[in-house]
Amino acid sequence: MSPAPQVRPVAPGDLERIAALHTAARVAYLRGRVPDAPFDAPAEYARRRDAWARLLHRDRAPTLCAVRHGTVLGVASYLPHTSTLREHAPDTGPARTVELHQLHVDPAHWGTGVGRALHAACLHAWRAAGFSRAVLDVLWHNRRARAFYDRLGWRPDPDRRPAPDATHLALTLPLAPPEQPPAPAAS
């Protein structure tokens, strides 16, 4: 059994590995849908690398990576929403929403706890920052990812419409504050 991965903020030297594992994950989950597409071509890798380079330079896009034995095995990035996505009751104020923008695990490490460790670290950060709900979009045909999010409590978001081309499913997760220990009984 592999040790639990360490989750830490991304470092500048992680970019190449992140681009490689994201490219490998895309190949794994898209190959069955479009078998002849060149998802692992150098141009695709360069596109992933450029996108991650831009994302990692954004101040408002915290990014975490999961590492085991010095190797980056997964990555997650999230973005706070600047506007509320749903109506709110007058006494509660607007829902503070965060978007899980990216979560990718090297396919060789699927099912080993890497994705769960990244998700748990995100939940911790979101709750500490005071977010009340999280949202994400997942490719409709990516059944593995949809099952992963379902097991973690994500549900279809009634406040967001499906993509016009029906390729993505919008999911949401309420973020209850962490449970507080019970107060000591009065004597």
Side-chain angles (χ1 to χ4, degrees):
M1 183 153 169
S2 298
Q6 171 197 5
V7 178
R8 62 165 171 77
V10 72
D14 296 331
L15 178 60
E16 297 299 328
R17 178 68 185 134
I18 289 169
L21 75 84
H22 185 175
T23 301
R26 283 180 53 84
V27 168
Y29 65 74
L30 292 173
R31 183 67 73 205
R33 182 160 170 82
V34 190
D36 297 327
F39 296 115
D40 51 355
E44 283 298 310
Y45 169 82
R47 207 175 342 274
R48 297 282 80 72
R49 187 190 184 289
D50 291 348
W52 278 103
R54 285 189 306 275
L55 184 68
L56 295 178
H57 286 94
R58 291 174 73 176
D59 291 336
R60 293 180 40 107
T63 304
L64 304 171
C65 60
V67 179
R68 191 181 287 139
H69 304 297
T71 301
V72 175
L73 305 177
V75 63
S77 184
Y78 54 91
L79 302 164
H81 272 247
T82 56
S83 63
T84 188
L85 293 177
R86 71 168 71 187
E87 293 299 316
H88 58 277
D91 60 337
T92 63
R96 295 222 30 233
T97 303
V98 62
E99 176 187 359
L100 180 56
H101 179 63
Q102 303 277 349
L103 194 154
H104 304 283
V105 173
D106 183 324
H109 297 276
W110 285 353
T112 67
V114 173
R116 280 186 176 273
L118 283 165
H119 188 266
C122 287
L123 287 176
H124 178 76
W126 299 340
R127 288 177 175 137
F131 291 107
S132 58
R133 74 189 282 256
V135 296
L136 66 81
D137 289 329
V138 62
L139 288 171
W140 178 259
H141 69 274
N142 190 343
R143 295 180 196 279
R144 182 180 192 90
R146 288 176 42 206
F148 171 78
Y149 292 121
D150 184 65
R151 286 190 302 274
L152 295 170
W154 292 81
R155 298 296 178 256
D157 189 343
D159 297 332
R160 297 189 308 147
R161 292 183 177 168
D165 59 0
T167 59
H168 291 80
L169 178 63
L171 301 178
T172 188
L173 179 70
L175 299 173
E179 297 231 359
Q180 299 296 322
S187 3

